[in-house]
Amino acid sequence: MKYSSAIFEKAVQQFKNLPGVGQKTALRFALHLLKKKDGNELTSLLQSIQDIQHHIHVCAICHNIADTPECSICSDANRKKNVLCIVETIRDVIAIENTDQYNGLYHILGGLISPLDGIGPEQLHIQSLMHRIQNGHFEEVIFVLNPTIQGDTTIFYIKKLLAQTPISLTSISRGIAFGGELEYADDFTLARALQNRLPIDNYVKN
Amino acid sequence: MKYSSAIFEKAVQQFKNLPGVGQKTALRFALHLLKKKDGNELTSLLQSIQDIQHHIHVCAICHNIADTPECSICSDANRKKNVLCIVETIRDVIAIENTDQYNGLYHILGGLISPLDGIGPEQLHIQSLMHRIQNGHFEEVIFVLNPTIQGDTTIFYIKKLLAQTPISLTSISRGIAFGGELEYADDFTLARALQNRLPIDNYVKN
């Protein structure tokens, strides 16, 4: 593509770095912002990106995003402190919160064990998970991980670490298809899968 | 959607203002930037948006985007100064430049005459067009406008204004389907349509 402005061309290139954005979409974004450059929209967008860069914290307890050092879920007195939901990413927490079916706490692993990609337990937030469980009063740990080999491996690994504890381990039921992505599941399917969670021994055997 | 961070939620809302971006895509963009927040990508994106806001000029002659008060096409000594291509928007110039078939100048109208939308000739850059034509040495004016009623009305209006001049008026041929958008035409079709341009009298009659 040829542009009469090098600044504009650079902006289009920057937008192409966003996930799923190609040349024409990036051009569309840049032209849209150019049209809005005298209004508040551009200033608000700039402010939001700067806020992402400087003002979003990672919760010291569950590794979720937060506006304060401790996230609003961990510090919420109304949530059950004896149930812990283990997820891979922030977007899994968002998906589960949207079902309105869960009122416990979360722990974000930040990934799944995947030896082929060089991701072992030490790259994930498993040490802090163990620390939380040892110092907390959890009665149930629910695994809500993508139903892939990496997800199963991660569950198996954590299950072994927790073998000596009396905590009940469960997993969401196999309502979500193999190879599917949690973020694209509809709220109803995800809510049902949470309600019908299975004891971890059943899950690993099948 | 529920987020544990109000800052993050605001960022997602900002991304939703971009054209064609819904809730899930906006969330994807925000999470992508969050992941990259310590790298250069976010800083470069911020810089580019700030540059769009403050450093992109509009060419005083043709109304194209430019890094200087006069755009690189208008100030290019190698381009033909006797051919003028009239287009609706900046993206039309980008599309034509990509065909590598045109070496003249441009004039961006900034829209098309559309009485139903309250857009008359005075809202467009037609006065500056007349000024250019009266003070220039143009031998041909090529209309490259979307083949819609608004496009035809605009051609008809400008044709009447130029009735007393000896300038040859042409239009790209009807190679582009009615109702189609110039920006989605492939380079080849657009290039052929430019090569096979028709005298304006043939165009308006058919």
Side-chain angles (χ1 to χ4, degrees), chain A residues 1-2 4-6 8 14 17 24 29 34 37 41 43-44 46 48 53 56 64-65 67 98 100 183, chain B residues 1-2 4-6 14 17 19 24 32 34 37 42-43 46 48 53 56 64-65 67 98 100 183:
Chain A
M1 286 269 186
K2 294 170 186 175
S4 55
S5 157
F8 188 79
Q14 289 303 323
N17 289 333
K24 290 222 164 170
F29 288 172
L34 192 65
K37 74 174 182 166
E41 188 180 327
T43 311
S44 303
L46 272 174
S48 278
Q53 196 170 26
I56 289 189
N64 195 1
I65 46 168
D67 296 342
N98 277 319
D100 275 328
E183 63 168 313
Chain B
M1 286 269 185
K2 295 170 185 174
S4 54
S5 157
Q14 290 303 323
N17 288 334
K24 290 221 164 170
H32 174 82
L34 192 66
K37 73 173 184 167
L42 222 132
T43 311
L46 272 174
S48 279
Q53 196 171 27
I56 289 189
N64 195 2
I65 46 169
D67 296 343
N98 277 322
D100 275 327
E183 64 167 313

mmCIF file of all heavy atoms in Angstrom, chain A residues 1-2 4-6 8 14 17 24 29 34 37 41 43-44 46 48 53 56 64-65 67 98 100 183, chain B residues 1-2 4-6 14 17 19 24 32 34 37 42-43 46 48 53 56 64-65 67 98 100 183:
data_model
loop_
_atom_site.group_PDB
_atom_site.id
_atom_site.type_symbol
_atom_site.label_atom_id
_atom_site.label_comp_id
_atom_site.label_asym_id
_atom_site.label_seq_id
_atom_site.Cartn_x
_atom_site.Cartn_y
_atom_site.Cartn_z
ATOM 1 N N MET A 1 0.843 -1.198 0.000
ATOM 2 C CA MET A 1 0.000 0.000 0.000
ATOM 3 C C MET A 1 0.881 1.253 0.000
ATOM 4 O O MET A 1 1.912 1.294 0.643
ATOM 5 C CB MET A 1 -0.889 0.022 1.259
ATOM 6 C CG MET A 1 -2.020 -0.967 1.203
ATOM 7 S SD MET A 1 -3.509 -0.224 0.473
ATOM 8 C CE MET A 1 -4.668 -1.565 0.710
ATOM 9 N N LYS A 2 0.404 2.263 -0.723
ATOM 10 C CA LYS A 2 1.136 3.527 -0.787
ATOM 11 C C LYS A 2 0.297 4.613 -0.121
ATOM 12 O O LYS A 2 -0.876 4.749 -0.410
ATOM 13 C CB LYS A 2 1.379 3.919 -2.240
ATOM 14 C CG LYS A 2 2.297 2.971 -2.976
ATOM 15 C CD LYS A 2 2.259 3.304 -4.439
ATOM 16 C CE LYS A 2 3.048 2.288 -5.241
ATOM 17 N NZ LYS A 2 2.917 2.554 -6.670
ATOM 18 N N SER A 4 0.251 8.848 1.166
ATOM 19 C CA SER A 4 0.908 10.134 0.962
ATOM 20 C C SER A 4 1.475 10.677 2.268
ATOM 21 O O SER A 4 2.067 11.742 2.286
ATOM 22 C CB SER A 4 -0.089 11.129 0.363
ATOM 23 O OG SER A 4 -1.236 11.210 1.179
ATOM 24 N N SER A 5 1.298 9.939 3.374
ATOM 25 C CA SER A 5 1.804 10.383 4.661
ATOM 26 C C SER A 5 2.521 9.219 5.354
ATOM 27 O O SER A 5 1.943 8.164 5.579
ATOM 28 C CB SER A 5 0.638 10.871 5.525
ATOM 29 O OG SER A 5 0.973 10.805 6.891
ATOM 30 N N ALA A 6 3.785 9.441 5.680
ATOM 31 C CA ALA A 6 4.562 8.393 6.353
ATOM 32 C C ALA A 6 4.029 8.157 7.764
ATOM 33 O O ALA A 6 4.040 7.028 8.267
ATOM 34 C CB ALA A 6 6.034 8.788 6.401
ATOM 35 N N PHE A 8 0.923 8.422 8.699
ATOM 36 C CA PHE A 8 -0.293 7.633 8.548
ATOM 37 C C PHE A 8 0.056 6.166 8.269
ATOM 38 O O PHE A 8 -0.537 5.254 8.850
ATOM 39 C CB PHE A 8 -1.137 8.215 7.408
ATOM 40 C CG PHE A 8 -2.489 7.597 7.279
ATOM 41 C CD1 PHE A 8 -3.525 7.974 8.119
ATOM 42 C CD2 PHE A 8 -2.730 6.627 6.326
ATOM 43 C CE1 PHE A 8 -4.780 7.400 7.998
ATOM 44 C CE2 PHE A 8 -3.976 6.044 6.201
ATOM 45 C CZ PHE A 8 -5.006 6.433 7.040
ATOM 46 N N GLN A 14 0.972 -0.072 12.833
ATOM 47 C CA GLN A 14 0.770 -0.335 14.262
ATOM 48 C C GLN A 14 -0.548 -1.069 14.510
ATOM 49 O O GLN A 14 -0.606 -2.006 15.303
ATOM 50 C CB GLN A 14 0.775 0.977 15.065
ATOM 51 C CG GLN A 14 2.134 1.629 15.177
ATOM 52 C CD GLN A 14 3.169 0.704 15.784
ATOM 53 O OE1 GLN A 14 2.873 -0.067 16.691
ATOM 54 N NE2 GLN A 14 4.369 0.717 15.255
ATOM 55 N N ASN A 17 -0.666 -4.799 14.043
ATOM 56 C CA ASN A 17 -0.138 -5.651 15.114
ATOM 57 C C ASN A 17 -1.226 -6.199 16.031
ATOM 58 O O ASN A 17 -0.987 -7.144 16.782
ATOM 59 C CB ASN A 17 0.871 -4.874 15.972
ATOM 60 C CG ASN A 17 2.166 -4.622 15.230
ATOM 61 O OD1 ASN A 17 2.524 -5.380 14.341
ATOM 62 N ND2 ASN A 17 2.873 -3.578 15.607
ATOM 63 N N LYS A 24 -6.564 -3.990 5.394
ATOM 64 C CA LYS A 24 -7.758 -3.158 5.139
ATOM 65 C C LYS A 24 -8.420 -2.711 6.446
ATOM 66 O O LYS A 24 -8.898 -1.591 6.547
ATOM 67 C CB LYS A 24 -8.764 -3.918 4.256
ATOM 68 C CG LYS A 24 -8.253 -4.076 2.824
ATOM 69 C CD LYS A 24 -9.315 -3.840 1.782
ATOM 70 C CE LYS A 24 -8.666 -3.618 0.432
ATOM 71 N NZ LYS A 24 -9.567 -3.595 -0.701
ATOM 72 N N PHE A 29 -9.312 1.509 10.622
ATOM 73 C CA PHE A 29 -9.139 2.064 11.969
ATOM 74 C C PHE A 29 -8.443 3.430 11.892
ATOM 75 O O PHE A 29 -8.855 4.394 12.537
ATOM 76 C CB PHE A 29 -8.299 1.121 12.849
ATOM 77 C CG PHE A 29 -9.004 -0.130 13.271
ATOM 78 C CD1 PHE A 29 -8.312 -1.143 13.934
ATOM 79 C CD2 PHE A 29 -10.352 -0.324 13.016
ATOM 80 C CE1 PHE A 29 -8.954 -2.308 14.338
ATOM 81 C CE2 PHE A 29 -11.004 -1.485 13.407
ATOM 82 C CZ PHE A 29 -10.294 -2.473 14.071
ATOM 83 N N LEU A 34 -8.571 9.316 12.190
ATOM 84 C CA LEU A 34 -8.249 10.580 11.519
ATOM 85 C C LEU A 34 -9.491 11.466 11.444
ATOM 86 O O LEU A 34 -9.432 12.678 11.659
ATOM 87 C CB LEU A 34 -7.745 10.259 10.108
ATOM 88 C CG LEU A 34 -7.090 11.390 9.328
ATOM 89 C CD1 LEU A 34 -5.801 11.817 10.000
ATOM 90 C CD2 LEU A 34 -6.814 10.957 7.897
ATOM 91 N N LYS A 37 -10.293 13.014 14.878
ATOM 92 C CA LYS A 37 -9.127 13.504 15.615
ATOM 93 C C LYS A 37 -9.387 14.765 16.426
ATOM 94 O O LYS A 37 -8.650 15.052 17.361
ATOM 95 C CB LYS A 37 -7.927 13.677 14.690
ATOM 96 C CG LYS A 37 -7.977 14.863 13.764
ATOM 97 C CD LYS A 37 -6.650 14.981 13.035
ATOM 98 C CE LYS A 37 -6.646 16.188 12.134
ATOM 99 N NZ LYS A 37 -5.307 16.530 11.676
ATOM 100 N N GLU A 41 -13.102 11.227 21.297
ATOM 101 C CA GLU A 41 -12.912 9.776 21.162
ATOM 102 C C GLU A 41 -11.431 9.394 21.142
ATOM 103 O O GLU A 41 -11.011 8.461 21.814
ATOM 104 C CB GLU A 41 -13.606 9.288 19.886
ATOM 105 C CG GLU A 41 -13.602 7.770 19.788
ATOM 106 C CD GLU A 41 -14.298 7.262 18.530
ATOM 107 O OE1 GLU A 41 -15.266 7.889 18.072
ATOM 108 O OE2 GLU A 41 -13.852 6.219 18.021
ATOM 109 N N THR A 43 -8.838 11.139 22.224
ATOM 110 C CA THR A 43 -8.209 11.422 23.512
ATOM 111 C C THR A 43 -8.551 10.326 24.526
ATOM 112 O O THR A 43 -7.691 9.878 25.286
ATOM 113 C CB THR A 43 -8.696 12.795 24.031
ATOM 114 O OG1 THR A 43 -8.556 13.741 22.967
ATOM 115 C CG2 THR A 43 -7.902 13.249 25.220
ATOM 116 N N SER A 44 -9.815 9.872 24.516
ATOM 117 C CA SER A 44 -10.222 8.819 25.447
ATOM 118 C C SER A 44 -9.509 7.512 25.140
ATOM 119 O O SER A 44 -9.099 6.784 26.045
ATOM 120 C CB SER A 44 -11.734 8.588 25.354
ATOM 121 O OG SER A 44 -12.425 9.769 25.603
ATOM 122 N N LEU A 46 -6.577 7.183 23.689
ATOM 123 C CA LEU A 46 -5.186 7.375 24.120
ATOM 124 C C LEU A 46 -5.067 7.180 25.629
ATOM 125 O O LEU A 46 -4.167 6.489 26.114
ATOM 126 C CB LEU A 46 -4.725 8.791 23.777
ATOM 127 C CG LEU A 46 -4.125 9.014 22.396
ATOM 128 C CD1 LEU A 46 -3.875 10.488 22.186
ATOM 129 C CD2 LEU A 46 -2.822 8.236 22.256
ATOM 130 N N SER A 48 -7.012 5.525 27.614
ATOM 131 C CA SER A 48 -7.230 4.134 27.996
ATOM 132 C C SER A 48 -6.000 3.272 27.743
ATOM 133 O O SER A 48 -5.660 2.412 28.549
ATOM 134 C CB SER A 48 -8.425 3.558 27.226
ATOM 135 O OG SER A 48 -9.619 3.932 27.864
ATOM 136 N N GLN A 53 -1.167 0.661 30.125
ATOM 137 C CA GLN A 53 0.288 0.582 30.268
ATOM 138 C C GLN A 53 0.754 0.850 31.698
ATOM 139 O O GLN A 53 1.670 0.195 32.185
ATOM 140 C CB GLN A 53 0.926 1.589 29.309
ATOM 141 C CG GLN A 53 2.411 1.361 29.061
ATOM 142 C CD GLN A 53 2.933 2.241 27.923
ATOM 143 O OE1 GLN A 53 2.393 3.309 27.635
ATOM 144 N NE2 GLN A 53 3.985 1.790 27.275
ATOM 145 N N ILE A 56 -2.917 -0.519 35.361
ATOM 146 C CA ILE A 56 -3.575 -1.784 35.691
ATOM 147 C C ILE A 56 -2.612 -2.646 36.511
ATOM 148 O O ILE A 56 -1.474 -2.877 36.120
ATOM 149 C CB ILE A 56 -4.059 -2.519 34.421
ATOM 150 C CG1 ILE A 56 -5.246 -1.756 33.816
ATOM 151 C CG2 ILE A 56 -4.471 -3.953 34.734
ATOM 152 C CD1 ILE A 56 -5.950 -2.460 32.694
ATOM 153 N N ASN A 64 -5.210 -11.914 38.869
ATOM 154 C CA ASN A 64 -6.205 -11.303 37.985
ATOM 155 C C ASN A 64 -5.835 -9.823 37.775
ATOM 156 O O ASN A 64 -5.014 -9.283 38.508
ATOM 157 C CB ASN A 64 -7.585 -11.404 38.662
ATOM 158 C CG ASN A 64 -8.727 -11.127 37.695
ATOM 159 O OD1 ASN A 64 -8.513 -10.886 36.513
ATOM 160 N ND2 ASN A 64 -9.936 -11.176 38.206
ATOM 161 N N ILE A 65 -6.446 -9.175 36.771
ATOM 162 C CA ILE A 65 -6.221 -7.732 36.611
ATOM 163 C C ILE A 65 -7.024 -6.979 37.658
ATOM 164 O O ILE A 65 -8.103 -7.410 38.058
ATOM 165 C CB ILE A 65 -6.613 -7.212 35.211
ATOM 166 C CG1 ILE A 65 -7.985 -7.754 34.786
ATOM 167 C CG2 ILE A 65 -5.555 -7.547 34.199
ATOM 168 C CD1 ILE A 65 -8.557 -7.089 33.572
ATOM 169 N N ASP A 67 -7.524 -2.754 39.663
ATOM 170 C CA ASP A 67 -7.165 -1.337 39.732
ATOM 171 C C ASP A 67 -6.377 -1.034 40.998
ATOM 172 O O ASP A 67 -5.827 0.054 41.148
ATOM 173 C CB ASP A 67 -8.429 -0.463 39.709
ATOM 174 C CG ASP A 67 -9.176 -0.616 38.390
ATOM 175 O OD1 ASP A 67 -8.558 -1.103 37.427
ATOM 176 O OD2 ASP A 67 -10.362 -0.266 38.329
ATOM 177 N N ASN A 98 -19.421 -13.877 33.939
ATOM 178 C CA ASN A 98 -20.622 -13.562 33.146
ATOM 179 C C ASN A 98 -21.736 -14.590 33.301
ATOM 180 O O ASN A 98 -22.876 -14.317 32.957
ATOM 181 C CB ASN A 98 -20.266 -13.429 31.671
ATOM 182 C CG ASN A 98 -19.744 -12.043 31.365
ATOM 183 O OD1 ASN A 98 -20.260 -11.059 31.871
ATOM 184 N ND2 ASN A 98 -18.708 -11.967 30.565
ATOM 185 N N ASP A 100 -22.775 -15.707 36.161
ATOM 186 C CA ASP A 100 -23.471 -15.411 37.427
ATOM 187 C C ASP A 100 -23.723 -16.675 38.256
ATOM 188 O O ASP A 100 -24.670 -16.724 39.045
ATOM 189 C CB ASP A 100 -24.824 -14.717 37.162
ATOM 190 C CG ASP A 100 -24.657 -13.216 36.993
ATOM 191 O OD1 ASP A 100 -23.758 -12.654 37.625
ATOM 192 O OD2 ASP A 100 -25.426 -12.628 36.210
ATOM 193 N N GLU A 183 -13.347 -19.163 25.918
ATOM 194 C CA GLU A 183 -13.857 -17.804 25.704
ATOM 195 C C GLU A 183 -14.991 -17.750 24.692
ATOM 196 O O GLU A 183 -15.741 -16.790 24.655
ATOM 197 C CB GLU A 183 -12.736 -16.852 25.286
ATOM 198 C CG GLU A 183 -12.103 -17.211 23.977
ATOM 199 C CD GLU A 183 -11.193 -16.102 23.449
ATOM 200 O OE1 GLU A 183 -11.605 -14.939 23.457
ATOM 201 O OE2 GLU A 183 -10.108 -16.446 23.023
ATOM 202 N N MET B 1 -20.816 -7.544 30.158
ATOM 203 C CA MET B 1 -19.564 -8.180 30.596
ATOM 204 C C MET B 1 -19.113 -7.596 31.939
ATOM 205 O O MET B 1 -19.281 -6.410 32.196
ATOM 206 C CB MET B 1 -18.457 -7.918 29.560
ATOM 207 C CG MET B 1 -18.598 -8.737 28.296
ATOM 208 S SD MET B 1 -17.704 -10.305 28.441
ATOM 209 C CE MET B 1 -17.934 -10.950 26.779
ATOM 210 N N LYS B 2 -18.542 -8.440 32.769
ATOM 211 C CA LYS B 2 -18.051 -7.986 34.065
ATOM 212 C C LYS B 2 -16.539 -8.103 34.096
ATOM 213 O O LYS B 2 -15.981 -9.131 33.728
ATOM 214 C CB LYS B 2 -18.628 -8.859 35.176
ATOM 215 C CG LYS B 2 -20.121 -8.744 35.322
ATOM 216 C CD LYS B 2 -20.600 -9.817 36.253
ATOM 217 C CE LYS B 2 -22.105 -9.836 36.337
ATOM 218 N NZ LYS B 2 -22.578 -10.957 37.133
ATOM 219 N N SER B 4 -12.894 -7.253 36.483
ATOM 220 C CA SER B 4 -12.427 -6.951 37.830
ATOM 221 C C SER B 4 -11.681 -5.620 37.869
ATOM 222 O O SER B 4 -11.216 -5.203 38.921
ATOM 223 C CB SER B 4 -11.529 -8.082 38.345
ATOM 224 O OG SER B 4 -10.484 -8.314 37.422
ATOM 225 N N SER B 5 -11.551 -4.962 36.726
ATOM 226 C CA SER B 5 -10.846 -3.685 36.670
ATOM 227 C C SER B 5 -11.669 -2.685 35.866
ATOM 228 O O SER B 5 -11.998 -2.923 34.701
ATOM 229 C CB SER B 5 -9.474 -3.896 36.011
ATOM 230 O OG SER B 5 -9.010 -2.677 35.469
ATOM 231 N N ALA B 6 -11.990 -1.565 36.489
ATOM 232 C CA ALA B 6 -12.780 -0.534 35.803
ATOM 233 C C ALA B 6 -11.966 0.109 34.684
ATOM 234 O O ALA B 6 -12.494 0.469 33.630
ATOM 235 C CB ALA B 6 -13.229 0.534 36.800
ATOM 236 N N GLN B 14 -13.623 1.641 24.801
ATOM 237 C CA GLN B 14 -12.980 2.517 23.814
ATOM 238 C C GLN B 14 -12.720 1.777 22.513
ATOM 239 O O GLN B 14 -12.938 2.298 21.423
ATOM 240 C CB GLN B 14 -11.665 3.092 24.362
ATOM 241 C CG GLN B 14 -11.847 4.109 25.466
ATOM 242 C CD GLN B 14 -12.712 5.278 25.049
ATOM 243 O OE1 GLN B 14 -12.654 5.735 23.912
ATOM 244 N NE2 GLN B 14 -13.564 5.741 25.934
ATOM 245 N N ASN B 17 -15.493 1.393 20.011
ATOM 246 C CA ASN B 17 -15.827 2.530 19.148
ATOM 247 C C ASN B 17 -15.206 2.424 17.762
ATOM 248 O O ASN B 17 -15.610 3.125 16.841
ATOM 249 C CB ASN B 17 -15.353 3.842 19.793
ATOM 250 C CG ASN B 17 -16.210 4.219 20.985
ATOM 251 O OD1 ASN B 17 -17.368 3.836 21.064
ATOM 252 N ND2 ASN B 17 -15.634 4.948 21.920
ATOM 253 N N PRO B 19 -14.506 1.011 14.057
ATOM 254 C CA PRO B 19 -15.501 0.446 13.131
ATOM 255 C C PRO B 19 -15.382 -1.071 13.001
ATOM 256 O O PRO B 19 -14.280 -1.601 12.836
ATOM 257 C CB PRO B 19 -15.182 1.150 11.805
ATOM 258 C CG PRO B 19 -13.774 1.610 11.937
ATOM 259 C CD PRO B 19 -13.553 1.911 13.385
ATOM 260 N N LYS B 24 -16.307 -8.903 21.838
ATOM 261 C CA LYS B 24 -15.244 -9.925 21.952
ATOM 262 C C LYS B 24 -13.943 -9.474 21.305
ATOM 263 O O LYS B 24 -12.858 -9.751 21.820
ATOM 264 C CB LYS B 24 -15.716 -11.258 21.339
ATOM 265 C CG LYS B 24 -16.815 -11.916 22.187
ATOM 266 C CD LYS B 24 -16.651 -13.425 22.327
ATOM 267 C CE LYS B 24 -17.515 -13.910 23.472
ATOM 268 N NZ LYS B 24 -17.626 -15.357 23.574
ATOM 269 N N HIS B 32 -4.615 -8.214 24.466
ATOM 270 C CA HIS B 32 -3.366 -8.235 23.696
ATOM 271 C C HIS B 32 -2.435 -7.117 24.174
ATOM 272 O O HIS B 32 -1.252 -7.348 24.428
ATOM 273 C CB HIS B 32 -3.691 -8.072 22.205
ATOM 274 C CG HIS B 32 -2.485 -7.934 21.333
ATOM 275 N ND1 HIS B 32 -1.766 -9.021 20.892
ATOM 276 C CD2 HIS B 32 -1.861 -6.843 20.830
ATOM 277 C CE1 HIS B 32 -0.755 -8.590 20.148
ATOM 278 N NE2 HIS B 32 -0.788 -7.282 20.099
ATOM 279 N N LEU B 34 -2.536 -5.574 27.021
ATOM 280 C CA LEU B 34 -2.158 -5.830 28.409
ATOM 281 C C LEU B 34 -0.940 -6.768 28.455
ATOM 282 O O LEU B 34 -0.017 -6.587 29.251
ATOM 283 C CB LEU B 34 -3.349 -6.473 29.123
ATOM 284 C CG LEU B 34 -3.285 -6.581 30.625
ATOM 285 C CD1 LEU B 34 -3.305 -5.199 31.254
ATOM 286 C CD2 LEU B 34 -4.451 -7.400 31.162
ATOM 287 N N LYS B 37 2.270 -4.877 27.485
ATOM 288 C CA LYS B 37 2.387 -3.537 28.055
ATOM 289 C C LYS B 37 3.812 -3.140 28.429
ATOM 290 O O LYS B 37 4.097 -1.951 28.550
ATOM 291 C CB LYS B 37 1.438 -3.352 29.244
ATOM 292 C CG LYS B 37 1.826 -4.071 30.501
ATOM 293 C CD LYS B 37 0.874 -3.650 31.618
ATOM 294 C CE LYS B 37 1.275 -4.273 32.925
ATOM 295 N NZ LYS B 37 0.583 -3.665 34.059
ATOM 296 N N LEU B 42 3.192 -1.209 22.575
ATOM 297 C CA LEU B 42 2.183 -0.307 23.119
ATOM 298 C C LEU B 42 2.623 1.151 23.001
ATOM 299 O O LEU B 42 1.839 2.025 22.646
ATOM 300 C CB LEU B 42 1.945 -0.667 24.587
ATOM 301 C CG LEU B 42 0.489 -0.641 24.993
ATOM 302 C CD1 LEU B 42 0.149 -1.906 25.741
ATOM 303 C CD2 LEU B 42 0.239 0.548 25.847
ATOM 304 N N THR B 43 3.908 1.388 23.281
ATOM 305 C CA THR B 43 4.434 2.753 23.169
ATOM 306 C C THR B 43 4.345 3.243 21.725
ATOM 307 O O THR B 43 3.964 4.393 21.474
ATOM 308 C CB THR B 43 5.899 2.782 23.656
ATOM 309 O OG1 THR B 43 5.949 2.117 24.922
ATOM 310 C CG2 THR B 43 6.412 4.186 23.807
ATOM 311 N N LEU B 46 0.724 4.051 20.887
ATOM 312 C CA LEU B 46 0.377 5.334 21.508
ATOM 313 C C LEU B 46 0.934 6.495 20.697
ATOM 314 O O LEU B 46 0.241 7.470 20.412
ATOM 315 C CB LEU B 46 0.968 5.410 22.921
ATOM 316 C CG LEU B 46 0.122 4.849 24.049
ATOM 317 C CD1 LEU B 46 0.909 4.864 25.343
ATOM 318 C CD2 LEU B 46 -1.157 5.664 24.218
ATOM 319 N N SER B 48 1.749 6.553 17.570
ATOM 320 C CA SER B 48 1.078 6.675 16.277
ATOM 321 C C SER B 48 -0.277 7.367 16.404
ATOM 322 O O SER B 48 -0.641 8.185 15.558
ATOM 323 C CB SER B 48 0.894 5.296 15.638
ATOM 324 O OG SER B 48 2.082 4.904 15.004
ATOM 325 N N GLN B 53 -3.353 12.459 15.809
ATOM 326 C CA GLN B 53 -4.067 13.582 16.412
ATOM 327 C C GLN B 53 -3.398 14.934 16.130
ATOM 328 O O GLN B 53 -4.077 15.926 15.897
ATOM 329 C CB GLN B 53 -4.172 13.351 17.922
ATOM 330 C CG GLN B 53 -5.198 14.209 18.626
ATOM 331 C CD GLN B 53 -5.409 13.771 20.064
ATOM 332 O OE1 GLN B 53 -4.520 13.197 20.693
ATOM 333 N NE2 GLN B 53 -6.578 14.040 20.599
ATOM 334 N N ILE B 56 -0.652 14.967 11.541
ATOM 335 C CA ILE B 56 -1.043 14.746 10.152
ATOM 336 C C ILE B 56 -1.727 16.009 9.624
ATOM 337 O O ILE B 56 -2.666 16.508 10.230
ATOM 338 C CB ILE B 56 -1.951 13.500 10.002
ATOM 339 C CG1 ILE B 56 -1.109 12.236 10.237
ATOM 340 C CG2 ILE B 56 -2.589 13.455 8.602
ATOM 341 C CD1 ILE B 56 -1.819 10.946 9.905
ATOM 342 N N ASN B 64 -5.693 15.926 0.555
ATOM 343 C CA ASN B 64 -5.196 14.590 0.913
ATOM 344 C C ASN B 64 -4.450 14.691 2.256
ATOM 345 O O ASN B 64 -4.127 15.782 2.705
ATOM 346 C CB ASN B 64 -4.240 14.116 -0.191
ATOM 347 C CG ASN B 64 -3.954 12.625 -0.102
ATOM 348 O OD1 ASN B 64 -4.481 11.927 0.749
ATOM 349 N ND2 ASN B 64 -3.106 12.140 -0.995
ATOM 350 N N ILE B 65 -4.203 13.541 2.903
ATOM 351 C CA ILE B 65 -3.396 13.582 4.124
ATOM 352 C C ILE B 65 -1.927 13.768 3.752
ATOM 353 O O ILE B 65 -1.475 13.294 2.709
ATOM 354 C CB ILE B 65 -3.543 12.295 4.969
ATOM 355 C CG1 ILE B 65 -3.432 11.041 4.101
ATOM 356 C CG2 ILE B 65 -4.824 12.319 5.756
ATOM 357 C CD1 ILE B 65 -3.309 9.767 4.897
ATOM 358 N N ASP B 67 2.283 14.823 5.548
ATOM 359 C CA ASP B 67 3.134 15.108 6.710
ATOM 360 C C ASP B 67 3.572 16.566 6.716
ATOM 361 O O ASP B 67 4.137 17.052 7.692
ATOM 362 C CB ASP B 67 4.359 14.194 6.696
ATOM 363 C CG ASP B 67 3.958 12.731 6.854
ATOM 364 O OD1 ASP B 67 2.817 12.495 7.282
ATOM 365 O OD2 ASP B 67 4.778 11.856 6.557
ATOM 366 N N ASN B 98 -2.330 2.507 -5.662
ATOM 367 C CA ASN B 98 -1.900 1.101 -5.667
ATOM 368 C C ASN B 98 -1.974 0.450 -7.036
ATOM 369 O O ASN B 98 -1.370 -0.598 -7.254
ATOM 370 C CB ASN B 98 -2.738 0.294 -4.674
ATOM 371 C CG ASN B 98 -2.209 0.411 -3.260
ATOM 372 O OD1 ASN B 98 -0.993 0.432 -3.059
ATOM 373 N ND2 ASN B 98 -3.088 0.534 -2.300
ATOM 374 N N ASP B 100 -0.784 1.778 -9.738
ATOM 375 C CA ASP B 100 0.411 2.198 -10.490
ATOM 376 C C ASP B 100 0.071 2.621 -11.913
ATOM 377 O O ASP B 100 0.911 2.522 -12.816
ATOM 378 C CB ASP B 100 1.452 1.062 -10.534
ATOM 379 C CG ASP B 100 2.322 1.057 -9.290
ATOM 380 O OD1 ASP B 100 2.581 2.138 -8.747
ATOM 381 O OD2 ASP B 100 2.719 -0.040 -8.855
ATOM 382 N N GLU B 183 -13.144 1.047 -2.510
ATOM 383 C CA GLU B 183 -12.050 0.513 -1.686
ATOM 384 C C GLU B 183 -11.950 -1.002 -1.723
ATOM 385 O O GLU B 183 -10.927 -1.562 -1.401
ATOM 386 C CB GLU B 183 -12.170 1.003 -0.238
ATOM 387 C CG GLU B 183 -13.402 0.524 0.464
ATOM 388 C CD GLU B 183 -13.327 0.767 1.965
ATOM 389 O OE1 GLU B 183 -12.307 0.451 2.585
ATOM 390 O OE2 GLU B 183 -14.325 1.266 2.480
#
